[in-house]
Amino acid sequence: LYGYNAYLVGLALPTFLVPSPGLWIYIAFGGAVSVPATLGIANVCKTWSLAALTAPFVLVTWLFLLATYAFTAVEGSGLPMVDAIAPIDPAEANPLALGTFLQGVLKSIGQVFLKASIIAALLLVAGLAVNSIAAALFAVAGAIVAVVTAHVLGAESGLITGGLMGFSPVLTAIALGAVFYKPGVRVVIYALVGTIFTVVVQGAMNVVVTPFGIPTLTGPFVLGAWLFLLPRQEFERG
């Protein structure tokens, strides 16, 4: 539990930053900082009987990425500083053919580990299935729901097919459907609603972080899942 947030920090920093000696120092230090961040956030979350999820990864990585605008030893290749948000005209969204639909579904799964790769997605689903068939099924179902929802709401087609609207909903689907609640009809419906809501949160957070020139990472998953985990005791008594 202390390692996976550090692992995600190590994946994210070289994804968005230019390779340099400073980057490797950044990665090592970021991984180390994620440990007390995980412990601290977990202690705070205990008050509401919540898991820290990937919140330590999100917080640490956001701070490290934002700091690159103040330093010269580390440079962000994928972090353009922007001054305004340019809304996407829904009329410009391209229809999703079967090929692009499948691409969006699989890349939504692969983007969980910041990889827009169909092969990575298939390996991830296989890995989930080894541990839990239910988790693998919820991952695929979550990706499908996310792609359909994002398209119906008129999200930019490139974001959908690149998996960038679906990776947080995939995590929400797994968390609600196969980790924190016992599988059942009520849980499936609950996870469905939570997954759709996470797509909305993803869109909202895209708008929020754009002026800062940083990615949302799994922030939408954390917010969406927390909201649906807060009433867990009441839900399980129902």
Side-chain angles (χ1 to χ4, degrees):
L1 294 178
Y2 288 101
Y4 82 94
N5 275 292
Y7 166 77
L8 290 171
V9 171
L11 271 179
L13 292 179
T15 298
F16 299 105
L17 302 180
V18 175
S20 69
L23 171 61
W24 297 110
I25 297 173
Y26 228 44
I27 292 172
F29 189 57
V33 169
S34 71
V35 176
T38 299
L39 181 59
I41 293 176
N43 285 339
V44 172
C45 288
K46 285 180 182 178
T47 305
W48 298 281
S49 299
L50 291 175
L53 303 178
T54 56
F57 151 64
V58 173
L59 177 61
V60 170
T61 305
W62 273 350
L63 292 175
F64 274 65
L65 292 179
L66 282 170
T68 61
Y69 290 113
F71 304 139
T72 58
V74 282
E75 179 184 350
S77 58
L79 296 174
M81 181 65 83
V82 293
D83 299 317
I85 299 169
I88 300 298
D89 183 356
E92 296 178 359
N94 298 321
L96 290 177
L98 178 61
T100 52
F101 172 77
L102 292 176
Q103 177 182 323
V105 168
L106 291 173
K107 287 189 176 181
S108 291
I109 298 172
Q111 287 285 9
V112 167
F113 288 111
L114 294 96
K115 298 298 178 185
S117 166
I118 292 176
I119 294 177
L122 295 174
L123 290 173
L124 178 57
V125 171
L128 285 170
V130 169
N131 179 260
S132 168
I133 295 295
L137 292 175
F138 272 102
V140 175
I144 293 172
V145 170
V147 169
V148 171
T149 301
H151 185 64
V152 169
L153 292 177
E156 182 182 358
S157 296
L159 294 178
I160 300 174
T161 56
L164 297 177
M165 293 296 295
F167 63 94
S168 275
V170 165
L171 289 170
T172 299
I174 296 172
L176 298 182
V179 178
F180 295 103
Y181 291 101
K182 295 179 181 179
V185 175
R186 293 172 69 241
V187 169
V188 169
I189 297 172
Y190 197 64
L192 172 63
V193 176
T195 301
I196 294 173
F197 175 68
T198 305
V199 177
V200 176
V201 178
Q202 180 71 63
M205 289 195 68
N206 284 347
V207 175
V208 170
V209 303
T210 294
F212 299 100
I214 57 174
T216 63
L217 302 176
T218 54
F221 155 61
V222 173
L223 291 180
W226 274 350
L227 183 64
F228 277 75
L229 288 174
L230 280 170
R232 180 166 51 170
Q233 293 180 347
E234 287 75 12
F235 182 91
E236 291 175 343
R237 285 200 298 262

